[in-house]
Amino acid sequence: MITSKIISNGILRALATILIIGIILYFLYTIQTVIVYLVVSLILCLIANPLVLFLKNKLKFSNSLAATTTIIFFILMMVGFILLFVPLIISQANNLSLLDTNHLQLQFVEMEHNIETYFNIQHVDLNKMLKDSKVTSMLNFGFFTGFINSIMGFMADMGMGLVSVFFITFFFIKDQEVFKTQARKILPDNNEDKILNSVTKINHMLTRYFIGLLLQLTVVFILYLIVLLIFGNKNAFVIAFLCAVLNIIPYIGPIIGTTLAGILTMISLIGHDFQSEILPTTIYVLIGFLVVQAIDNNISQPIIASKSVNSHPLEIFLITIISGITFGIVGMIIAVPVFTMLKVILKEFFPDNKIVSVLTERI
């Protein structure tokens, strides 16, 4: 017989459970940066595992030497990437006069004059429209200063993040056997095979995912470059490269990239007739970018989701949005790898659970 005491105890236990879960989630939210560092380091460790095994088994390197060599290899790859692309980007960026702020200001003034002249020709009183809409009163002109400060802060955080990630990755690689031994002590003996199977599957799936992602970005870059070259953009390489890199950020990145492409295209055409050249060319470029995104969203991304991580596109969309709300842009970038890792672990440890079996039926 259910009594009021049993009901009240049940309510108290439920409230206590909800409170504990809330505290845990709040704690995880406050240390989200550390969690991101750990996840990125773990992903790098899994990717580096074949190289580490080669160094240890074939070349007889010690754990410390193998870890040091691997970290140096990652750093050299990053430096090589910078040395390969940055000179090209800088040489192209000089054409945009991005480094000459005075000339850039004159370009914006000239562009503003061209836009006003165009609307006057079309018998549209732009000033009256702006005054009636009270847009200027709603604009926050301190946004630009804040935006620059945000970029500087991001660069500083990026440097700190790289140091932290490489430091954590070094010990993940160096002491991975120690971590496995400690994990075996903590978990029951019958879970040892499950842990090893999970690590193997995660390493395989994440390797396929990152190869697929690199292929996707390459395809997007080439298509962006073709669109810009068709319309004779002199800064085609730098614009295509920047927009392709922004594509790493799911959903939001392509929007930012398209907007950036439109602005940079207009700037690069300063000195030409606004009505007959600048405006039509910019519109054509934007349409071309939208076509590229349609191809990417309907072909490239679904192939990566289905072939590399074996997840439904709706799953990817929901987990990316949730991660973006919780952890920001970085959360959106690492959402798919983390989700894949969780699915593999859940399938290994809870294969008979109905919810888990539905979520992981394609793995």
Side-chain angles (χ1 to χ4, degrees):
M1 180 177 179
I2 300 177
T3 63
S4 59
K5 183 177 181 180
I6 295 176
I7 295 175
S8 61
N9 289 336
I11 294 174
L12 289 175
R13 284 197 298 270
L15 291 175
T17 302
I18 294 173
L19 179 62
I20 292 173
I21 294 174
I23 293 174
I24 293 174
L25 291 176
Y26 176 76
F27 175 73
L28 293 176
Y29 176 78
T30 56
I31 62 168
Q32 57 181 295
T33 303
V34 178
I35 295 176
V36 170
Y37 291 165
L38 290 173
V39 171
V40 174
S41 299
L42 180 59
I43 292 173
L44 288 178
C45 182
L46 292 174
I47 294 174
N49 195 52
L51 175 61
V52 175
L53 292 177
F54 173 79
L55 293 175
K56 292 168 64 176
N57 297 334
K58 299 296 183 179
L59 302 182
K60 306 302 179 182
F61 281 21
S62 64
N63 289 338
S64 298
L65 184 57
T68 303
T69 304
T70 304
I71 295 299
I72 292 175
F73 175 74
F74 279 135
I75 294 175
L76 290 177
M77 284 186 60
M78 184 178 65
V79 172
F81 178 83
I82 294 173
L83 293 178
L84 178 63
F85 285 102
V86 166
L88 293 173
I89 295 174
I90 291 177
S91 63
Q92 293 274 328
N94 286 331
N95 295 329
L96 298 176
S97 300
L98 293 177
L99 303 178
D100 188 345
T101 56
N102 292 327
H103 185 52
L104 183 62
Q105 183 178 1
L106 292 175
Q107 288 180 322
F108 275 114
V109 171
E110 184 177 348
M111 184 189 303
E112 181 185 3
H113 175 72
N114 289 333
I115 294 173
E116 291 179 355
T117 302
Y118 172 77
F119 279 102
N120 288 334
I121 293 175
Q122 302 299 321
H123 305 292
V124 177
D125 192 343
L126 189 61
N127 292 327
K128 186 176 184 302
M129 288 178 59
L130 292 174
K131 183 181 292 184
D132 292 341
S133 62
K134 298 181 180 179
V135 172
T136 54
S137 63
M138 295 184 291
L139 291 176
N140 179 14
F141 292 98
F143 167 79
F144 298 102
T145 303
F147 180 71
I148 297 299
N149 291 334
S150 298
I151 293 178
M152 298 300 294
F154 174 79
M155 295 300 293
D157 293 339
M158 189 73 175
M160 182 63 185
L162 285 174
V163 174
S164 301
V165 165
F166 283 138
F167 183 80
I168 296 171
T169 304
F170 172 80
F171 286 102
F172 274 0
I173 295 174
K174 174 179 174 294
D175 298 326
Q176 58 179 311
E177 295 299 329
V178 176
F179 293 147
K180 290 180 182 179
T181 302
Q182 296 299 327
R184 289 169 182 168
K185 292 180 180 179
I186 296 174
L187 296 174
D189 294 337
N190 57 354
N191 288 324
E192 182 176 336
D193 292 336
K194 295 179 180 179
I195 295 174
L196 296 177
N197 289 337
S198 297
V199 172
T200 302
K201 288 182 180 180
I202 288 171
N203 185 36
H204 176 65
M205 296 186 71
L206 289 184
T207 300
R208 290 197 305 171
Y209 171 74
F210 287 113
I211 292 175
L213 181 61
L214 181 61
L215 178 62
Q216 177 198 354
L217 296 181
T218 302
V219 171
V220 170
F221 167 74
I222 293 173
L223 293 176
Y224 281 159
L225 186 61
I226 291 173
V227 169
L228 293 168
L229 290 176
I230 288 175
F231 298 106
N233 196 304
K234 297 180 180 179
N235 311 293
F237 179 87
V238 64
I239 297 175
F241 178 79
L242 292 175
C243 294
V245 171
L246 286 171
N247 235 56
I248 294 176
I249 307 173
Y251 309 114
I252 297 177
I255 298 175
I256 299 174
T258 302
T259 304
L260 180 64
I263 295 174
L264 294 181
T265 299
M266 294 184 73
I267 294 175
S268 65
L269 293 173
I270 288 295
H272 296 75
D273 182 71
F274 181 80
Q275 183 175 353
S276 63
E277 295 187 50
I278 297 179
L279 184 61
T281 303
T282 303
I283 293 175
Y284 294 147
V285 168
L286 293 178
I287 293 174
F289 270 53
L290 292 176
V291 171
V292 172
Q293 290 173 21
I295 295 173
D296 180 52
N297 293 333
N298 292 285
I299 299 178
S300 301
Q301 290 186 6
I303 289 177
I304 291 177
S306 60
K307 300 297 183 181
S308 61
V309 296
N310 297 328
S311 295
H312 193 277
L314 182 58
E315 288 181 81
I316 301 297
F317 175 78
L318 292 177
I319 196 64
T320 302
I321 294 299
I322 293 172
S323 298
I325 294 173
T326 307
F327 298 106
I329 292 178
V330 176
M332 297 181 73
I333 295 174
I334 67 172
V336 175
V338 173
F339 182 58
T340 302
M341 293 168 63
L342 290 176
K343 287 177 65 175
V344 171
I345 293 172
L346 288 174
K347 184 169 185 176
E348 284 294 328
F349 284 87
F350 308 101
D352 299 327
N353 185 280
K354 293 182 178 180
I355 297 177
V356 173
S357 62
V358 171
L359 288 175
T360 61
E361 63 180 353
R362 301 176 65 183
I363 295 181

